[in-house]
Amino acid sequence: MKLIQSPENPLIKEIKKIKETQRRKIFFEGVHLVETSLVSDYVFTEKVFVTEKFIEKQKNFLEILQEKKIPVIIISEKVAKTISDTVTPQGVFAIADFKIKNINDLSNPTFIVIADRIQDPGNIGTIIRAAEAFGAEAVLVTHGTCNPFSNKALRASAGSIFFLPVIKVTVKEIEEFVSKYGLNLVITDLKATISSFNMDFTKPLAIVFGNESKGVSQDLRAIKHTSCKIPHKGKAESLNVAMAATAILYEILRQRFLKSP
């Protein structure tokens, strides 16, 4: 196995460039995220970087990488600290490439989540995590949303981003996609008159969660849709968008579970 000791190594410089954009090719760290990426159908793990200390503690993990024939590169502790975003790196990192690139790669969906101009990486990561957990087939991300592939978003997704497509789209693409597959477009709105409990979420569906302070954009509202809100009894004005998404996505799963044989 190759050993890299200098932060000036060309491969380490490549990692730093990937980190600046984090788009379809991404760099991430930590045992859980790397393990999760290895069993994903949506990403191809190109390389894994490990420290000697990590190898000593995780020999079984190294054997898994070798079985999957994934190139393993050893890096020094100094290099690990220069590429890590954490105070105490776990000593394992990876570069991966997403296989699904655009909305045309999806076919015959029945349950899609749309994240519209979400600003906080923690929120988008949590929405992706909830979407995957409750059965969504993809998350579509509009212009103005923070990078769903950033390290903070990846960590917030807890690896769920490796199990469903997350695709950046335009409003026009959403309109054409919804029309093509006969999806009911549902917008979450605090001012809606219909509660999520009274919506029929068992039909083919695309549900939209909007910006933390401004809600869903007018461009998306211009598409034929239905609006709904979450009923709540508390005195606070509203839920955080990630919390609201989790509540509604669970209700979608509940309705579909009850309807299924």
Side-chain angles (χ1 to χ4, degrees), residues 73-250:
I73 299 166
I74 301 174
I75 57 176
S76 67
E77 295 295 330
K78 178 181 178 181
V79 170
K81 289 180 180 179
T82 63
I83 60 177
S84 175
D85 290 322
T86 62
V87 178
T88 54
Q90 294 181 18
V92 58
F93 311 82
I95 292 175
D97 186 34
F98 281 89
K99 296 177 183 178
I100 290 183
K101 308 294 184 182
N102 59 64
I103 196 170
N104 295 323
D105 292 328
L106 303 176
S107 61
N108 300 316
T110 61
F111 179 14
I112 298 294
V113 171
I114 300 171
D116 181 37
R117 304 178 303 160
I118 304 296
Q119 295 294 297
D120 184 84
N123 283 338
I124 189 64
T126 301
I127 290 170
I128 292 168
R129 184 176 184 178
E132 193 274 328
F134 299 132
E137 294 152 289
V139 174
L140 306 182
V141 180
T142 67
H143 177 73
T145 298
C146 64
N147 186 356
F149 309 109
S150 71
N151 281 308
K152 185 175 180 181
L154 287 173
R155 288 194 295 271
S157 81
S160 292
I161 197 169
F162 297 137
F163 292 117
L164 83 169
V166 177
I167 303 169
K168 289 202 169 186
V169 293
T170 64
V171 172
K172 183 178 180 181
E173 285 177 320
I174 290 173
E175 184 173 16
E176 292 173 350
F177 186 77
V178 167
S179 175
K180 178 180 179 180
Y181 291 108
L183 301 177
N184 294 298
L185 186 68
V186 178
I187 286 175
T188 53
D189 187 345
L190 286 173
K191 297 179 180 179
T193 57
I194 304 173
S195 90
S196 54
F197 293 161
N198 295 323
M199 289 291 297
D200 182 359
F201 288 133
T202 63
K203 297 177 181 179
L205 168 74
I207 186 155
V208 187
F209 301 102
N211 176 271
E212 288 88 341
S213 60
K214 298 179 181 179
V216 177
S217 68
Q218 292 302 317
D219 288 341
L220 273 174
R221 290 176 184 274
I223 304 172
K224 181 181 177 182
H225 68 275
T226 305
S227 298
C228 76
K229 64 180 179 181
I230 300 173
H232 70 283
K233 298 178 68 174
K235 295 180 180 179
E237 180 182 356
S238 64
L239 296 173
N240 163 285
V241 65
M243 295 173 66
T246 301
I248 288 184
L249 293 173
Y250 177 76

